[in-house]
Amino acid sequence: MKTHAILHFIFGTILTGSLTLASQTSAQQTNQLTINQAKPTTMNSQPAQTVKNFLTAVQKGDNQTLAALIHPDIQWNQPGTNRFSGQKTSSAAVFHMVGDMFAATANTLSLADIKQITVNGNKVACLVRWKAAQPGGGVLDVNNIDVYTVENGKIVEATVYSEDIAQEDGFWGK
């Protein structure tokens, strides 16, 4: 009988320890954030195709296609507190901003990578990477999430979210 009580105590202790360890491991896993590599989205919607065409035109410097895909009254929201930040309310203002960005970087500004395109109705979110260098030595290498709203095959709104707004503000200056 004494042996049975000892075995019961040992197994109970082991079981309790295992349950405690399992709950700690579960709690630790709950507190960990896992980020998986995004998988490419198939482009089967008109808004997604419009944005894909837009981003490809940006990469190629195809201004004719860009002008055809941006609504004349686009609302463009550029993040930060730098000289290019704020809302632009026309395609002319967006092209002016981008032209000034190219001038500030001696034409090195590039859309280096289109990492992900996702769709929710007529809104398209894109994870993209921008790179540029300034003649004075400044370097920009930043991921952004751009959210585009597409209506009738044209981008009517764009909101840019920067991974590192301090880097962008420092690079672009006031």
Side-chain angles (χ1 to χ4, degrees):
M1 187 70 163
K2 197 172 191 181
T3 304
H4 179 67
I6 292 172
L7 287 174
H8 187 266
F9 172 76
I10 292 172
F11 285 121
T13 303
I14 291 171
L15 182 60
T16 302
S18 296
L19 289 174
T20 301
L21 181 58
S23 68
Q24 286 174 346
T25 302
S26 177
Q28 289 170 346
Q29 289 173 346
T30 302
N31 291 332
Q32 293 177 349
L33 175 63
T34 303
I35 300 174
N36 295 319
Q37 180 67 27
K39 295 183 177 130
T41 302
T42 56
M43 295 295 114
N44 58 2
S45 75
Q46 183 269 329
Q49 190 60 53
T50 297
V51 171
K52 183 177 186 225
N53 292 344
F54 171 78
L55 294 173
T56 300
V58 168
Q59 287 182 315
K60 293 179 178 179
D62 182 352
N63 290 331
Q64 185 175 2
T65 300
L66 293 171
L69 294 173
I70 296 177
H71 193 278
D73 296 323
I74 188 169
Q75 301 296 301
W76 188 284
N77 303 291
Q78 192 70 19
T81 58
N82 62 69
R83 61 182 159 163
F84 300 118
S85 299
Q87 186 169 19
K88 314 307 181 258
T89 57
S90 70
S91 59
V94 172
F95 280 113
H96 183 75
M97 173 189 68
V98 173
D100 287 350
M101 289 174 157
F102 273 98
T105 64
N107 293 319
T108 64
L109 180 64
S110 70
L111 178 54
D113 195 11
I114 303 167
K115 297 180 177 189
Q116 182 71 29
I117 297 175
T118 58
V119 182
N120 184 356
N122 71 333
K123 299 219 182 264
V124 182
C126 309
L127 176 58
V128 296
R129 183 177 194 150
W130 288 94
K131 290 185 175 187
Q134 293 172 326
V139 175
L140 178 71
D141 186 356
V142 67
N143 288 316
N144 286 350
I145 295 174
D146 297 352
V147 179
Y148 299 97
T149 303
V150 178
E151 293 177 2
N152 300 317
K154 294 202 180 269
I155 298 171
V156 297
E157 184 176 1
T159 302
V160 177
Y161 299 89
S162 178
E163 170 188 52
D164 188 347
I165 199 65
Q167 179 189 165
E168 290 205 36
D169 284 345
F171 181 80
W172 295 120
K174 293 284 180 185

